[in-house]
Amino acid sequence: MDAVRVVAVVVVGLGVWALWRRHRYPGGWAFALSFRHEAAREALANGRSKARDAAHRADQAEAAALAELNSAKAAYERRLHSLEQQAARLRNPGSGPRVDGLGELVLFKHTRVVTSTTGTRSIELAGLDARFDPGQKNHSIYLTDATGRVHWAKYPHALPATETQQRFDEDAVRDFAVAIQNAVADENHFRAQIPHQLTTAEQELEEARTDTRAQKAARERLSRVRQSNRQDPHRKVADSELMEAVKDWETLTGRTPPT
């Protein structure tokens, strides 16, 4: 039974091969298979191979030049995006990453966020004044923003034994107030540098927008490659030999073979 299957597979395979030969070398079974026309078939096969190889080399050269152009375009877009983001961060720094937090206050790189029973709001660090004040029941941090508005953050430390509210150590509150003051100093320095940095970033962005030299060079190379492919003498010879083999086959069989 296995031998029968093997024979069947071989027969099918030979049949497919024969049909493929008949398609590639049209005109009848004799032209496709007999030794009498082997030279004509070989000339046609060689012509196809040379033309295919020449076309493949041309396609590879053009694909490489096109890939270089696409790479230059992508690099241009990446640089613009990076510079645009840099300028946007300078125009609007946002809150920045979280730095520290204690009680109802959370310190971010550029802002202070207050969460209380009345809601959540942000206070910009620029121009902020932070002051620590110890108390008998509560330690306090007073935040005065650039407009003069004051927020009082309370940190209870003296509570009845039955009270479950969180207690805050004085040193922890003092350290947190110092962290706010240092963050404010850093933010004030950062804000002072923004005008110059933003001017520089915008200049770099404008220069980047107009700097299309890499794309221009890549386009010119692609144009040269395409022109070279059109004028390639080796490809012209290969195509000419293939067309000659095709005509010879047409003369011999009266049928036009696929190229």
Side-chain angles (χ1 to χ4, degrees), residues 138 154-168:
N138 300 303
K154 292 181 289 186
Y155 296 91
H157 63 88
L159 296 171
T162 56
E163 179 61 62
T164 59
Q165 186 178 355
Q166 183 181 2
R167 292 170 172 80
F168 295 90

Side-chain angles (χ1 to χ4, degrees), residues 98-108 112 155 168 172 176 179:
R98 187 181 189 277
V99 177
D100 200 356
L102 189 68
E104 67 183 40
L105 300 182
V106 180
L107 175 63
F108 291 84
R112 156 70 57 196
Y155 296 91
F168 295 90
F176 189 53

Side-chain angles (χ1 to χ4, degrees), residues 19-81:
L19 290 174
W20 174 82
R21 291 273 291 192
R22 180 73 181 266
H23 170 72
R24 296 293 285 169
Y25 304 100
W29 290 111
F31 294 108
L33 300 173
S34 73
F35 289 107
R36 179 182 175 184
H37 301 294
E38 185 175 1
R41 289 196 301 270
E42 185 175 347
L44 187 56
N46 288 338
R48 287 167 172 161
S49 177
K50 289 180 180 179
R52 184 174 59 250
D53 290 345
H56 180 64
R57 287 192 299 270
D59 289 344
Q60 282 188 316
E62 182 170 336
L66 185 58
E68 182 180 331
L69 175 57
N70 290 335
S71 177
K73 288 180 178 178
Y76 175 82
E77 294 298 332
R78 284 196 303 270
R79 176 160 174 75
L80 284 189
H81 181 66

Side-chain angles (χ1 to χ4, degrees), residues 15 21 44 55 71 94 107 109 111 127 145 168 187 189 191 258:
R21 291 273 291 192
L44 187 56
S71 177
L107 175 63
K109 185 174 178 63
T111 61
D145 65 24
F168 295 90
E187 181 67 6
H189 177 73
R191 294 284 179 171

Side-chain angles (χ1 to χ4, degrees), residues 177-190:
V178 169
I180 297 173
Q181 291 166 350
N182 289 334
V184 169
D186 291 341
E187 181 67 6
N188 289 338
H189 177 73
F190 168 73

Side-chain angles (χ1 to χ4, degrees), residues 102 132-135 139 155-157 167-177:
L102 189 68
F132 170 79
D133 186 32
H139 301 309
Y155 296 91
H157 63 88
R167 292 170 172 80
F168 295 90
D169 178 74
E170 178 179 345
D171 286 345
V173 180
R174 283 184 181 274
D175 289 344
F176 189 53

